[in-house]
Amino acid sequence: MARRRAALHAHPQQRKNPLRRSSDRLQWWAARTLLAVAIGGVPAAVAVGLAVHHDQARVVREESTDRHPVTAQLVADVPAAVGITTTRAAVAWNSDGADHLASAVVPSGQRAGTPVQIWVDDRSRVVPQPAGTGEAIAVAATAALLTVTAVPLLSMLTWKGTLHLLNRRRYAGWDAEWQQIEPQWTRRQPS
């Protein structure tokens, strides 16, 4: 076992050893390739984080230009419920000289006529509040963290799977060789 381990770390000239199996060569190349992929996960995570941040920053800019706050009034009482801080209710507001009526998420436990702040787009449709820069940073950091974790993990799982398959192949070869050699060595007849 120690010799095999030493052979895997051998100088390239020694890798041409005729006693070295093709599975040993494949294991050597798989180890180096998967190590490079695992290490490459760090720059990949940075690239993913920057790309996601760039995309999220664009979304924040678009939402900030398209959405604006409006003060609306509740149309009906909004009952208070234990553990529920917001609920959907009917609201009315006037913008651009036109009256609007829609459903929006408002704080619970409010009376009819209470002013509430809602967000609308350029067509006076109720929309969620625009995302902030903090949300863009959080999404980008999460994407980078997932990438920097997933790439080495997938490399390790691939390595374990490769070793499992190579060992199965090696054991099958040893069993086949033993079936041929064992009768001569022990002077028994095959059954």
Side-chain angles (χ1 to χ4, degrees), residues 9 21 49-50 61-62 83 113 121 125 136 151 153 157 186:
H9 300 290
R21 300 168 293 190
L50 290 173
R61 282 191 308 274
E62 288 174 2
D121 62 8
R125 292 180 302 189
V151 170
L153 181 63
L157 290 174
T186 60

Side-chain angles (χ1 to χ4, degrees), residues 1-2 4 19-24 27 163-183 185:
M1 187 69 156
R4 185 177 315 154
L19 297 178
R20 202 152 178 234
R21 300 168 293 190
S22 61
S23 63
D24 295 333
Q27 181 176 339
L163 282 182
H164 177 73
L165 293 175
L166 289 174
N167 284 336
R168 281 185 58 188
R169 182 176 162 201
R170 290 171 186 151
Y171 293 148
W174 289 339
D175 284 343
E177 289 175 10
W178 181 248
Q179 292 297 325
Q180 292 174 352
I181 300 296
E182 192 260 341
W185 189 57

